[in-house]
Amino acid sequence: TTMKIEAEDFTAASTLAYVNFSGKGFAEISNTTNRTFEFTINTGVAGEYLIDFRYSNGSGPWNTDNKCAIRSLYTNNAYTGALVFPQRGTDEWSDWGYSNSYTITLAKGANKLKLVLEEWNINMNADVNTAMIDYVRLIKK
């Protein structure tokens, strides 16, 4: 079973004019916008799930510039790991792909997750750490 949780259901949708997203919009994460992005996932079945994020990052070419967005993922207040949102091409903000994934354990009912820009999530560029989040994808294992 696959679930999609739209980012714009938990924070204001971005007004940037990008296309090819799912749902009604997408959310920006950057050094100044949504430094902490919290959302709740309601599951009907407890257990292990794969989690990843559909995102875009047009901050630069995919092979240089060191402008990937990096965030720490927390599942029910426990640190899960770092999520990486690499560049997908210069100004390719409407080109969507998936972050790395983790296996997380969710309880039946409400589960609190959050993406946080921690001090150790600074990339080699330091000034640019931006991505657009379309949705969270959960796949029941």
Side-chain angles (χ1 to χ4, degrees):
T1 306
T2 300
M3 293 173 51
K4 289 193 322 189
I5 299 95
E6 296 287 343
E8 68 275 12
D9 290 346
F10 294 96
T11 190
S14 173
T15 58
L16 296 166
Y18 308 143
V19 298
N20 301 326
F21 53 84
S22 169
K24 298 181 203 128
F26 53 89
E28 178 180 350
I29 58 171
S30 71
N31 286 330
T32 56
T33 304
N34 289 321
R35 290 176 60 92
T36 297
F37 174 65
E38 297 184 58
F39 53 99
T40 301
I41 294 175
N42 289 297
T43 58
V45 179
E48 289 191 330
Y49 291 80
L50 285 174
I51 187 171
D52 61 12
F53 291 73
R54 187 170 189 252
Y55 80 97
S56 72
N57 181 346
S59 296
W62 58 267
N63 60 342
T64 60
D65 285 1
N66 299 311
K67 293 179 182 173
C68 63
I70 305 168
R71 294 294 181 279
S72 291
L73 175 66
Y74 292 84
T75 306
N76 293 318
N77 293 318
Y79 178 73
T80 303
L83 283 165
V84 181
F85 307 94
Q87 309 95 269
R88 298 184 58 82
T90 303
D91 296 324
E92 293 290 338
W93 292 103
S94 295
D95 179 31
W96 302 89
Y98 290 97
S99 69
N100 58 310
S101 63
Y102 283 99
T103 297
I104 59 174
T105 301
L106 298 177
K108 181 178 178 180
N111 293 271
K112 301 279 187 194
L113 285 90
K114 62 184 174 179
L115 287 179
V116 180
L117 178 58
E118 301 281 13
E119 63 184 54
W120 60 82
N121 297 140
I122 302 302
N123 59 30
M124 290 175 68
N125 179 274
D127 293 330
V128 178
N129 196 322
T130 302
M132 303 301 143
I133 303 296
D134 186 12
Y135 60 77
V136 182
R137 181 173 64 169
L138 277 180
I139 303 168
K140 179 78 175 90
K141 287 184 84 176

